[in-house]
Amino acid sequence: MKDVQIIEAVKQAVDTLGVEIFKSSSFVNVLADYGAFRIVEGKEKLIIKSLIADGYGVKIIGWLNEHKADWKRQNEDYVLDFVSRGNFDKKEVSKVANGLLQGVGLISDFDAAETVITNPEQELEDAKMSYLNSLERLVTKVKDCLGLDDAYYSVEACNELYFLEGKIALLMQHLNEKDVDWCKNKKLDCLAKYRAPYGKRKSVAQNTIDSLTKDYNDLLSDGIVRPKGLLDRAKPFYDDTIADKLGEMATKLCKAQTILGIPVTFDCKKDMKDAIDAADKRRKVIRNALSAIIAITVAVITIIVVSKVRYAANKPSIMAIENKIKEGDSLMSLKQFDNAYIAYEQGMSSYGIGYKHQMYQSKVDGKLNELSKSAIDEFEDQCNAIIAANNDYLPIEELMSVMPEQVRNDGKYADRIQKIVKKYQQKADESFEIRYDALLKDLSKNKGGLSDWSKQELDELLRYKPNDYWLNIVKKRTTK
């Protein structure tokens, strides 16, 4: 076969009709018209016809358009697969394929000589050697002897090995080799080399069980959070930190038991549930006993009479706290949160009597919680309004003043307040930088002098960052 005839014919066909001609069943006839087969020396025409019918032309168009780095590997795999499915000689198919690739400019003459497949036996040996080297290079070793596997291959490693495994499988299929599990067995052999001896694994597992079992049980018992009041019906629970620690300990203990071949008995979620249920059951017994005592006591006392007497005696104090609560409600509706907070606190602090003290304390606590949330909502609304309008950003301290100091210092609101502050500060700093640059450009434009606009802008920027060194220098220099 004269390769140059096919190469030149492909070039002329593509120049005249475009690469889409590779999809056409008449592609062989087009090449013949351009003189590709003037010298007939074999099965070139039949090979090209079969390749195009098999979809090889579509693949070439895809490689031209997508510019994928691994197209040569895909081409090599395709040629091997095509030969394994037909009765053509590998060398002849490889030469014809390279002629088509040269014709569209995908490979050079040198590349074509390098990629002709002539010795599949040697290629298989080379692929196997490359695979063995890759197994050693890509293995990830695990230091924890409690792991069920002391080494593994990551997803990225498996993807890299996959290409070699496909090539080896195609070459084996072509050479009729029957060892289809060769890659799998070599991978298992490589992993087995890094597996710790059973004696060492057994020793580590036994030491883990001996040292962790007591700590696990102690944490299971001592780490449970119980409501403070015995009459509180809230259920005991574990906080996230304790739950995570128990989970880690249970995982290690389960692995240790698996290594020793004994039944796994540590179940973190079940153990925590059982501990919570047991603690809750004990609280119910105590709570029921207290309820019985209270019921007997209440039955003995003439509640109605005593209540009326106590109410009459403490009516001035009751009226005083009720008035303070109303005053606080009115101030809170006007968003005067500082004054409202003071009103609520004064009302409770002045109510020193014992008549329904817990009821009023609970009521005031509820008002304070409501006030705190409303003040934070107002703070957030003000921040969001400035961000949405992209107005002049005020110092965050000025906006935070809408919240009473007690709210700002209350730890349970710290995360939410910090989140609002962070969002506002980020937007404010971005706006400040843009306006700062605009001010500098205006100064440069006016040869260091301040225009009417820049005078106002300088004052507004200083309001946001009163201690900015360069802004103060500009202010001082331009107001002399």
Side-chain angles (χ1 to χ4, degrees), residues 23 48 66 189 205 220 240-241 265 282 353 368 381 414 424:
K23 297 180 181 179
I48 293 177
E66 296 173 8
D189 290 344
L220 199 65
D240 292 340
T241 303
T265 57
R282 288 192 295 270
I353 60 176
L368 292 175
D381 289 344
Y424 177 88

Side-chain angles (χ1 to χ4, degrees), residues 175-187:
L175 296 171
N176 294 320
E177 290 199 14
K178 306 299 183 182
D179 191 6
V180 295
D181 290 328
W182 185 87
C183 291
K184 176 183 176 182
N185 292 334
K186 293 302 180 183
K187 186 183 289 185

Side-chain angles (χ1 to χ4, degrees), residues 429-459:
D429 288 344
E430 290 174 359
S431 176
F432 176 85
E433 292 299 327
I434 294 171
R435 295 173 65 187
Y436 191 100
D437 290 342
L439 178 64
L440 292 179
K441 290 178 181 178
D442 190 74
L443 281 169
S444 176
K445 179 181 177 182
N446 290 283
K447 299 180 179 180
L450 291 175
S451 64
D452 292 337
W453 171 84
S454 56
K455 287 178 182 178
Q456 181 181 353
E457 188 72 352
L458 176 61
D459 290 336

Side-chain angles (χ1 to χ4, degrees), residues 220-250:
L220 199 65
S221 174
D222 300 336
I224 196 167
V225 179
R226 299 171 176 82
K228 294 181 179 179
L230 289 173
L231 295 178
D232 191 340
R233 293 183 177 275
K235 200 168 185 178
F237 65 94
Y238 291 96
D239 64 38
D240 292 340
T241 303
I242 298 297
D244 290 343
K245 191 169 183 179
L246 284 169
E248 293 173 2
M249 297 169 74

Side-chain angles (χ1 to χ4, degrees), residues 164 327 424:
L164 284 172
E327 179 185 347
Y424 177 88

